């Protein structure tokens, strides 16, 4: 079984706290696991160089998860060896006034990867079927319509050459409590903490429910969801790195053919 198959979501996937601490890929040696992540990150960097050079395919990685689930850490840990010319990280916050004046996918479509590019979404269009549903800003009927919109949108991206990887970074409620407390206790991390995080935490069970529903409704072979146990930061990065590596390897990326006119050229 490939690593992608091991973590691939299904139509019956439910988000449960007890699964967040699983470490099936861990060697039991944290230092060794970190070195493995670094090695895979290097391989990802090499494959992305071919993606950039060939300039004919596109890759979109979506990272979703509760506050403190490690989206920022995954970006730096997994994609830190990628040449900045060929990668773009997009972090989505609450929509601006201008963005609210358009349909909810408007700001997303502007940021999808171009040819030769790997784009990483730190949060994404899924916020519009998550927080909006938890707080009843949209009803069940509108949420169902948005699932259909998202499925159509992602199918269109796939059919026009974008390879899509969607990762849900799954932490437990207790692990989130620990990480939030660390941010409170460390003044250098206060910039990461918002009092609103505590309000959202009160809706933990609702978030787990709507995440399960969203994943079940929008998982597809051309836009697969992977549920990544993320209580362990190192294991989280190890899983995501392997998923990305397997996907890039399947794309059979190569450098463009040599230019015949340059084969015998001597630079003087």
């Amino acid at each position: 079984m490939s690593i992608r198959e091991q973590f691939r979501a299904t139509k019956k996937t439910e988000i449960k706290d007890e699964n967040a601490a699983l470490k099936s890929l861990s060697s039991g040696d944290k230092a060794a696991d970190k070195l493995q992540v670094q090695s895979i990150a290097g391989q990802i960097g090499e494959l992305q160089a071919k993606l950039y050079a060939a300039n004919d395919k596109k890759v979109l990685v979506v990272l979703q998860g509760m506050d403190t689930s490690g989206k920022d850490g995954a970006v730096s840990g997994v994609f830190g060896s990628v040449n900045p010319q060929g990668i773009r990280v997009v972090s989505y916050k609450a929509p601006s006034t201008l963005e609210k004046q358009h349909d909810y996918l408007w700001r997303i479509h502007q940021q999808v990867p171009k040819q030769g590019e790997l784009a990483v979404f730190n949060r994404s269009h899924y916020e519009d079927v998550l927080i909006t549903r938890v707080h009843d800003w949209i009803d069940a009927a509108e949420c169902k319509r948005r699932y259909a919109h998202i499925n159509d949108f992602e199918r269109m991206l796939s059919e026009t050459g974008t390879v899509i990887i969607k990762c849900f970074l799954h932490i437990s409620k207790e692990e989130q409590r620990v990480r939030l407390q660390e941010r409170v206790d460390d003044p250098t991390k206060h910039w990461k903490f918002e009092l609103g995080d505590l309000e959202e935490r009160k809706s933990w069970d609702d978030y787990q429910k709507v995440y399960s529903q969203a994943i079940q409704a929008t998982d597809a072979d051309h836009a697969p969801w992977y549920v990544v146990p993320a209580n362990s930061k190192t294991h989280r990065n190890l899983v995501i790195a392997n998923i990305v590596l397997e996907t890039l390897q399947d794309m059979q990326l190569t450098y463009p053919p040599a230019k015949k006119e340059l084969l015998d050229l001597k630079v003087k």
Side-chain angles (χ1 to χ4, degrees):
M1 177 185 293
S2 71
I3 291 174
R4 283 178 295 174
E5 290 173 323
Q6 183 177 339
F7 294 97
R8 174 74 184 272
T10 71
K11 296 300 181 184
K12 296 182 179 180
T13 292
E14 294 184 5
I15 307 304
K16 298 180 179 180
D17 272 16
E18 56 263 34
N19 296 328
L22 298 176
K23 297 194 291 183
S24 59
L25 297 188
S26 177
S27 66
D29 184 330
K30 185 176 181 180
D33 288 348
K34 285 186 174 181
L35 288 175
Q36 180 69 5
V37 172
Q38 292 175 11
S39 174
I40 297 172
Q43 294 177 67
I44 290 172
E46 293 171 2
L47 288 169
Q48 183 277 338
K50 295 179 180 179
L51 174 75
Y52 181 76
N55 195 40
D56 61 354
K57 298 177 182 178
K58 300 163 276 188
V59 178
L60 172 61
V61 179
V62 172
L63 301 178
Q64 280 288 157
M66 297 292 289
D67 292 329
T68 77
S69 61
K71 297 178 289 294
D72 292 344
V75 170
S76 59
V78 176
F79 302 102
S81 297
V82 174
N83 189 317
Q85 292 183 97
I87 190 171
R88 183 162 46 87
V89 179
V90 184
S91 296
Y92 286 99
K93 306 295 185 182
S96 66
T97 300
L98 175 62
E99 289 168 343
K100 289 179 180 179
Q101 293 173 341
H102 295 80
D103 68 88
Y104 69 96
L105 288 174
W106 179 77
R107 65 173 182 161
I108 307 299
H109 205 163
Q110 294 182 80
Q111 300 294 345
V112 297
K114 62 185 179 181
Q115 289 182 180
E117 187 174 53
L118 190 162
V120 182
F121 284 2
N122 184 334
R123 299 187 188 272
S124 67
H125 42 301
Y126 283 94
E127 295 298 313
D128 293 290
V129 290
L130 294 168
I131 188 171
T132 56
R133 192 71 188 103
V134 166
H135 293 295
D136 291 323
W137 299 340
I138 60 174
D139 60 19
E142 174 60 19
C143 187
K144 185 176 180 180
R145 281 191 290 271
R146 291 190 178 189
Y147 288 155
H149 298 158
I150 289 170
N151 284 330
D152 289 342
F153 175 63
E154 292 179 348
R155 185 174 63 254
M156 182 272 294
L157 292 179
S158 175
E159 290 175 351
T160 53
T162 300
V163 174
I164 302 171
I165 304 167
K166 300 182 295 191
C167 295
F168 170 63
L169 280 53
H170 179 28
I171 61 169
S172 65
K173 188 175 184 179
E174 172 59 17
E175 180 64 20
Q176 189 196 56
R177 184 196 67 77
V178 170
R179 294 183 186 185
L180 286 173
Q181 190 64 53
E182 287 176 349
R183 292 180 179 183
V184 171
D185 294 343
D186 184 351
T188 67
K189 294 183 178 180
H190 283 183
W191 64 274
K192 293 184 176 183
F193 186 86
E194 299 286 346
L195 290 176
D197 296 342
L198 300 181
E199 285 301 310
E200 293 302 312
R201 179 171 163 79
K202 294 177 182 178
S203 300
W204 182 270
D205 291 342
D206 291 334
Y207 269 107
Q208 307 313 291
K209 179 180 178 180
V210 297
Y211 261 112
S212 296
Q213 292 171 343
I215 289 171
Q216 292 173 18
T218 60
D219 176 73
D221 287 343
H222 61 268
W225 271 109
Y226 300 98
V227 179
V228 178
N231 275 11
S232 164
K233 298 175 183 178
T234 301
H235 185 262
R236 173 203 68 211
N237 287 354
L238 188 59
V239 174
I240 296 172
N242 272 289
I243 289 170
V244 173
L245 179 62
E246 285 187 358
T247 302
L248 293 176
Q249 288 174 335
D250 273 1
M251 292 172 67
Q252 297 184 328
L253 299 165
T254 60
Y255 286 108
K259 297 179 180 179
K260 293 181 180 180
E261 64 272 21
L262 300 184
L263 294 180
D264 296 317
L265 179 65
K266 301 297 182 181
V267 178
K268 298 178 180 181

